[in-house]
Amino acid sequence: MRKVLSIMLSICLVLGLIAPMASAEEQKAKLAEKASSAIVIERDTGEVIFDKNSNEKLPPASMTKIMTMLLIMDAIDKEALAYEDVVRTSEYAASMGGSQIFLEPGEEMTVRDMLKAIAVASANDASVAMAEHIAGTEEEFVSMMNQRAADLGLKNTNFMNTNGLPAENHYTTAYDLAMISKELLKYEDITQFTGIYEDYLRADTEDKFWLVNTNKLVKFYPGVDGLKTGFTREAMYCLTATAEKNGMRVITVIMGAPSPKERNAQITSMLDYAFSQYQTHKLYDRDHILADVEVNKGDKDTVPVVTSESVSILTKKGIKIDDVVERLEVNSNLHAPIKQGEVIGTLFIEREGEILSETPLIAGDDVYEASWWKLFKRVIAKFGAA
């Protein structure tokens, strides 16, 4: 990232010191003892609160659908897809086994209902139908899934399908799933689906279908509003869960638990540990405008620089912070065209020279190339002002 604009701003917070993360105390926490792999992170910062073999490559079963949902939400965010768009089910999508909503070949359903079926009922048929609607084929959608993982810097993930049905060379890790979940939760709408405990599809028809969330913690653990369960004989019992309490959102992943009861108990313990030991200090929400910067040869003179995600600092419970500064670096000589959402800088949160967090900054608007006539009028206006 080329440096052109460096703005140092003091954040006036209460006195105290930053608590060191990943101390020996966290490593000694007795959590997820009956699981192959596990991790706990804080959503805003991505800080690891607890880790057990989190980089071990394992089959994710239906937790695969977290990436499927991410690509659906990406398409909605880019306005390439809308909740009320109608999706037609192919013969192939209708043929999926395992968890399903029994879509018929040729059956049509809105994106909203398809997403609800994936998030709540873990519907394999709906996952494939959405993949084909977005990418044309499931194979092409899977390529998009793997590219999205690569774009997130995840090196231990390889998807072979959209739904997590057993397949050779289909794997990920607890850490990678936590990072994919972190990205998905940028879209606040998603918990309106993953947080549903029960609902109906085809409610006004003779084929009314009752949905019950496979993630029972949505009902039984206060604050849990997602994300996705998984089970195959190879993967055993898996769960990626997220909960929000007192302004802090936590993501927990467990893989290879021996039973649903054990899986839920271990996730509960990890959530309890995180919320009892840690707190976040919120600095900015997603899409907060930090500055307006000049754009060369654009139809607008400036573009707003906004946060791509929530910005927070994580500390141990009861620890306060001071002497924190933010440093805003924006690309030099921005030239039109610029797309809304394009990364154009970075926000660094620092204390005494130590970087506490880095957040990509994005363009808040589209900026198109200015016409020659508009550029000409600008030149004339400058001469007139002189």
Side-chain angles (χ1 to χ4, degrees):
M1 195 70 69
R2 293 186 176 87
K3 301 178 182 178
V4 118
L5 181 61
S6 183
I7 302 174
M8 302 291 289
L9 299 171
S10 293
I11 301 174
C12 299
L13 299 172
V14 287
L15 298 176
L17 297 172
I18 298 289
M21 296 295 104
S23 67
E25 178 184 343
E26 284 72 62
Q27 300 306 315
K28 292 178 182 177
K30 291 184 178 181
L31 300 169
E33 292 185 293
K34 295 181 180 180
S36 301
S37 176
I39 195 170
V40 183
I41 69 167
E42 191 277 324
R43 201 228 72 93
D44 285 359
T45 63
E47 291 273 6
V48 176
I49 293 173
F50 171 80
D51 174 279
K52 177 185 177 181
N53 303 329
S54 68
N55 288 312
E56 182 179 353
K57 295 177 183 177
L58 295 168
S62 281
M63 293 192 298
T64 299
K65 296 182 179 86
I66 298 171
M67 177 60 88
T68 301
M69 290 190 286
L70 174 57
L71 292 188
I72 293 170
M73 297 306 295
D74 282 346
I76 291 171
D77 186 59
K78 295 173 183 174
E79 299 184 351
L81 190 68
Y83 285 122
E84 303 312 318
D85 287 353
V86 174
V87 178
R88 187 176 180 82
T89 305
S90 71
E91 295 242 5
Y92 175 65
S95 73
M96 292 296 108
S99 301
Q100 57 185 302
I101 55 170
F102 302 98
L103 290 167
E104 295 289 339
E107 182 175 358
E108 295 182 336
M109 192 172 282
T110 64
V111 168
R112 184 183 301 280
D113 283 348
M114 288 282 191
L115 185 55
K116 187 188 299 181
I118 296 167
V120 178
S122 194
N124 295 327
D125 46 2
S127 297
V128 175
M130 283 302 309
E132 293 176 334
H133 184 77
I134 290 171
T137 66
E138 186 185 22
E139 291 78 12
E140 185 59 32
F141 190 86
V142 170
S143 294
M144 293 170 61
M145 293 167 71
N146 287 320
Q147 184 58 56
R148 192 70 164 91
D151 291 344
L152 290 171
L154 308 179
K155 299 179 181 179
N156 294 313
T157 290
N158 189 69
F159 296 118
M160 298 299 292
N161 58 48
T162 62
N163 46 40
L165 288 170
E168 187 177 354
N169 209 34
H170 185 93
Y171 60 82
T172 186
T173 68
Y175 175 83
D176 285 9
L177 280 169
M179 292 303 108
I180 296 168
S181 301
K182 181 180 187 298
E183 189 74 4
L184 175 60
L185 287 165
K186 289 181 182 179
Y187 300 118
E188 295 181 0
D189 280 1
I190 194 61
T191 56
Q192 295 178 20
F193 297 92
T194 60
I196 296 170
Y197 183 69
E198 58 182 341
D199 205 342
Y200 288 92
L201 292 176
R202 312 181 186 98
D204 300 323
T205 73
E206 294 180 356
D207 297 321
K208 188 175 182 179
F209 190 89
W210 185 36
L211 300 175
V212 180
N213 204 318
T214 56
N215 179 9
K216 304 307 178 188
L217 295 183
V218 165
K219 182 174 183 179
F220 296 109
Y221 191 103
V224 170
D225 51 8
L227 276 168
K228 193 72 202 68
T229 59
F231 170 77
T232 63
R233 289 182 181 178
E234 182 186 18
M236 296 302 291
Y237 293 92
C238 308
L239 175 58
T240 298
T242 184
E244 187 170 24
K245 185 177 180 180
N246 297 327
M248 181 172 80
R249 179 170 288 280
V250 171
I251 298 168
T252 58
V253 183
I254 194 163
M255 304 180 78
S259 69
K261 182 178 180 180
E262 195 62 51
R263 173 187 66 188
N264 292 348
Q266 292 180 76
I267 285 283
T268 296
S269 294
M270 290 193 288
L271 289 171
D272 286 346
Y273 176 77
F275 287 125
S276 67
Q277 295 291 319
Y278 291 89
Q279 64 181 344
T280 55
H281 307 266
K282 179 65 71 71
L283 305 181
Y284 297 113
D285 289 322
R286 185 183 180 218
D287 294 329
H288 182 87
I289 298 174
L290 293 176
D292 290 292
V293 297
E294 292 185 2
V295 178
N296 294 317
K297 298 183 178 180
D299 64 338
K300 302 171 185 172
D301 293 329
T302 63
V303 63
V305 180
V306 303
T307 53
S308 61
E309 58 186 313
S310 298
V311 182
S312 300
I313 295 172
L314 180 69
T315 71
K316 292 283 284 186
K317 256 309 181 47
I319 299 296
K320 300 177 182 180
I321 57 176
D322 74 339
D323 297 334
V324 176
V325 296
E326 62 181 40
R327 176 163 52 88
L328 180 66
E329 294 185 359
V330 179
N331 292 7
S332 61
N333 296 321
L334 287 174
H335 287 269
I338 296 173
K339 289 185 178 180
Q340 185 177 10
E342 180 180 335
V343 176
I344 58 174
T346 305
L347 173 65
F348 297 92
I349 305 298
E350 302 176 338
R351 178 179 179 272
E352 296 180 352
E354 178 189 359
I355 296 175
L356 303 178
S357 71
E358 298 181 28
T359 304
L361 301 176
I362 58 176
D365 289 322
D366 289 319
V367 181
Y368 301 101
E369 290 186 82
S371 65
W372 70 268
W373 177 242
K374 188 162 192 173
L375 293 173
F376 177 73
K377 287 197 294 183
R378 284 182 186 167
V379 172
I380 295 300
K382 286 181 180 178
F383 276 115

